[in-house]
Amino acid sequence: MSAQSEHAGSSTLSLDALVNLLEKIFLRHGTSPEVARVLAENCACAERDGAHSHGVFRMPGYVSTLKSGWVSGRAVPVVEDVASGFVRVDAANGFAQPALAAARPLLVAKARSAGIAVLAIRNSHHFAALWPDVEPFAYEGLVALSVVNSMTCVVPHGADRPLFGTNPIAFAAPRADGEPIVFDLATSAIAHGDVQIAARKGELLPPGMGVDSLGQPTRDPKAILEGGALLPFGGHKGSALSMMVELLAAALTGGNFSFEFDWSNHPGAKTPWTGQLLIVIDPSKAAGQDFAQRSQELVRQMHGVGLRRLPGDRRHRERARSAEGITLDEQTLAQLQALAQ
Ligand code: NDP
Ligand code: PYC
């Protein structure tokens, strides 16, 4: 397939062509080549997998944030080997993904030797989907869990004002005959990115996602974005998980809680300045049968009781479809090309 083909109203790009275009945008806005590559791959892979709230939709936000001086696009993460099962990274006010990339070899070596290892990233900005951070570990036979906190926009269950971020949790585990088992979910009823997309399209949200500036339930995404707030998923249960994410991703790493940073002096800043935690486990150290066989058996049983869709199935279907190329509408492609100029 050629790098780009055109159809009425849309263009289809190969993954490489999209990565190259996004990389150009990051470089054009002052990031180092290393940061540009990592973020471009992350964002292009989200688009490829149909994770639209964190695909190319995010590029204008990355650009306005870089322009605002809020984040350092040339940060060099500082990796610290602090204990047999603990790695710390100071992302130096840069993005979390390059910090993870810098610490990854040490983290994996520790997980394999100690059976478990923690990576605590602080002073970092995460503006992306979380599954790309955990899925690669499962392809290497490891189990991985990650949490990241974001920006105050979620009302804790039982409270009347926002405090928590949308705080996602992602998990990945290998399985014997198939793609790894991966889920990645915001602890808010809906991701902030999806509220922005609904507002742009002029669509109403399902009930129970958020409140307006007076704290009244609303289905209007604009009312949520303009002074309103989101609710946790699952009432007190999602709220407890969101609290846990604040503790693990911020308190434990040395990063900011979602309510602790103030970007008001940086108009255009969109990336939360927080922290991220990863826990990686080597299941070969565990008792019992091979873990990947056991997870395969669990999936078999789930299918046996009628389950049609595992978390991750939709993404992998989209990924397979994107082997033919990633389709962008003309307006989106033109916007990306303009950002690269
Ligand atoms: P979704 O609710 O769309 O999906 C959550 C998970 O559930 C996914 O693993 C999804 O798999 C799976 N899933 C969805 N529907 C079903 C179903 N019917 N049956 C089985 N599994 C299902 O995601 P969210 O809206 O909660 O989050 C969207 C993204 O936003 C995430 O990638 C998250 O990391 C990101 N985010 C990032 C933040 C940050 O600070 N960086 C903050 C908040 C969110 P599949 O993917 O295959 O559909
Ligand atoms: O979609 O909630 C979200 C989000 C916050 C930060 C990055 N994405």
Side-chain angles (χ1 to χ4, degrees):
M1 189 186 61
S2 65
Q4 184 175 329
S5 57
E6 290 180 21
H7 305 278
S10 67
S11 288
T12 301
L13 282 73
S14 68
L15 179 63
D16 282 352
L18 183 57
V19 171
N20 290 339
L21 175 58
L22 303 187
E23 191 178 16
K24 221 170 140 187
I25 296 172
F26 284 114
L27 290 171
R28 162 81 183 75
H29 292 89
T31 75
S32 65
E34 295 76 18
V35 169
R37 193 75 199 167
V38 168
L39 294 183
E41 281 178 352
N42 175 294
C43 188
C45 287
E47 191 67 29
R48 173 201 63 189
D49 278 20
H52 296 297
S53 62
H54 292 79
V56 299
F57 163 74
R58 290 278 159 184
M59 291 307 294
Y62 275 116
V63 166
S64 66
T65 304
L66 284 161
K67 278 186 178 166
S68 77
W70 170 244
V71 66
S72 168
R74 308 190 75 79
V76 177
V78 180
V79 179
E80 294 169 274
D81 182 346
V82 285
S84 56
F86 211 110
V87 182
R88 287 200 300 237
V89 193
D90 179 351
N93 193 35
F95 291 99
Q97 292 83 0
L100 167 58
R104 202 176 188 284
L106 182 60
L107 177 67
V108 169
K110 282 184 183 295
R112 292 212 187 277
S113 74
I116 184 165
V118 168
L119 175 63
I121 304 175
R122 67 185 186 282
N123 198 5
S124 53
H125 297 247
H126 202 295
F127 199 49
L130 200 52
W131 60 263
D133 299 359
V134 292
E135 191 176 76
F137 291 102
Y139 282 122
E140 293 178 42
L142 300 165
V143 175
L145 180 74
S146 184
V147 292
V148 62
N149 60 318
S150 65
M151 64 285 175
T152 288
C153 60
V154 176
V155 184
H157 182 75
D160 49 25
R161 288 184 303 283
L163 184 76
F164 296 155
T166 42
N167 298 1
I169 302 173
F171 172 80
R175 75 167 154 134
D177 301 318
E179 294 295 343
I181 299 174
V182 177
F183 72 75
D184 172 18
L185 45 90
T187 51
S188 47
I190 185 170
H192 197 266
D194 282 321
V195 182
Q196 294 173 53
I197 289 174
R200 203 176 272 192
K201 289 182 175 166
E203 290 172 355
L204 286 180
L205 300 175
M209 308 275 116
V211 292
D212 64 18
S213 58
L214 301 173
Q216 294 305 310
T218 181
R219 297 182 57 198
D220 177 359
K222 287 195 176 138
I224 291 174
L225 296 173
E226 292 160 14
L230 294 169
L231 298 172
F233 84 83
H236 63 283
K237 301 185 184 187
S239 195
L241 290 173
S242 192
M243 175 181 70
M244 177 193 77
V245 174
E246 294 287 344
L247 290 170
L248 294 179
L252 198 76
T253 64
N256 287 319
F257 285 123
S258 297
F259 57 84
E260 274 183 326
F261 59 87
D262 176 8
W263 48 20
S264 58
N265 287 331
H266 292 78
K270 305 273 184 208
T271 59
W273 179 34
T274 57
Q276 179 180 6
L277 191 88
L278 283 102
I279 301 171
V280 177
I281 301 168
D282 179 359
S284 74
K285 301 288 193 289
Q289 289 169 34
D290 176 65
F291 177 86
Q293 294 291 348
R294 295 291 287 153
S295 53
Q296 184 62 42
E297 175 59 12
L298 178 64
V299 170
R300 200 178 71 80
Q301 293 290 340
M302 289 161 76
H303 285 152
V305 295
L307 187 87
R308 295 277 169 271
R309 175 180 169 186
L310 280 174
D313 279 354
R314 182 198 59 83
R315 272 195 312 103
H316 283 286
R317 234 187 358 262
E318 289 293 316
R319 189 180 298 184
R321 220 163 51 91
S322 297
E324 303 291 314
I326 301 162
T327 301
L328 299 179
D329 65 63
E330 287 307 338
Q331 198 186 341
T332 302
L333 183 59
Q335 184 187 34
L336 295 176
Q337 285 165 338
L339 290 175
Q341 296 310 309

